[in-house]
Amino acid sequence: MLLTLEKILILKTVPLFKDIPEPALADFISSAEELAAVEGADLLNVNDEWSDMYVVLQGRLRVHKDGKTLKELGNTSVLGVLYALDPAVSGVAVSVLEDTTLFRVPSETLYQLMSEHKSLEKAIIGSLCGQLRDLSGDTPLF
């Protein structure tokens, strides 16, 4: 198990958290559930209700649907932010490719952290806006 300082240093390498002050990261860490997922396990199945945000501390995950890999996620990846803000049924599955340690933050906890730490709220909104811009390409979003 990693010490809080080690976890803060890891989170500082995650683009979403790079500008978040250490006290806010410490609160995030103390509010998150640390999970150990073993290779071959399913973190999420298609049609599961998804309402949590995950941060991969170490390990690798596979996001897939109908046997097709959509994306592989590794150390410092973040997934489920949108689902934590607006829970919904998942259209994808997430499987563990190698033993993985991650943080799980439920929706209610994330909203509480965002209300207490505006820097976290701003980073999450900015991250989602960036993803939307990437998806829209040259098509302006109004």
Side-chain angles (χ1 to χ4, degrees):
M1 175 148 311
L2 298 170
L3 301 173
T4 299
L5 179 58
E6 293 171 310
K7 293 174 187 176
I8 287 174
L9 293 174
I10 290 170
L11 287 181
K12 281 292 197 179
T13 67
V14 176
L16 177 65
F17 298 110
K18 68 180 175 65
D19 296 322
I20 306 296
E22 284 78 9
L25 291 178
D27 284 352
F28 182 88
I29 290 165
S30 67
S31 299
E33 177 185 3
E34 189 172 337
L35 302 175
V38 297
E39 181 179 338
D42 292 324
L43 188 62
L44 183 73
N45 294 300
V46 174
N47 296 323
D48 282 354
E49 179 76 16
W50 192 351
S51 60
D52 301 323
M53 171 183 165
Y54 294 90
V55 180
V56 179
L57 299 177
Q58 59 188 58
R60 283 187 330 126
L61 303 173
R62 174 180 173 242
V63 180
H64 55 97
K65 183 175 184 175
D66 299 327
K68 181 181 177 186
T69 299
L70 303 174
K71 190 171 197 173
E72 285 192 16
L73 303 169
N75 297 353
T76 71
S77 294
V78 177
L79 67 153
V81 176
L82 190 58
Y83 287 99
L85 295 175
D86 185 27
V89 172
S90 174
V92 300
V94 180
S95 299
V96 181
L97 292 176
E98 64 185 45
D99 290 354
T100 299
T101 303
L102 33 76
F103 283 140
R104 182 182 73 85
V105 179
S107 179
E108 289 180 19
T109 303
L110 183 59
Y111 272 111
Q112 181 65 38
L113 287 165
M114 288 170 54
S115 72
E116 293 172 3
H117 301 285
K118 293 303 177 188
S119 59
L120 179 60
E121 179 180 60
K122 182 178 178 182
I124 287 174
I125 292 169
S127 172
L128 291 173
C129 289
Q131 290 175 35
L132 282 173
R133 281 198 279 314
D134 290 346
L135 288 173
S136 69
D138 292 333
T139 306
L141 297 171
F142 297 100

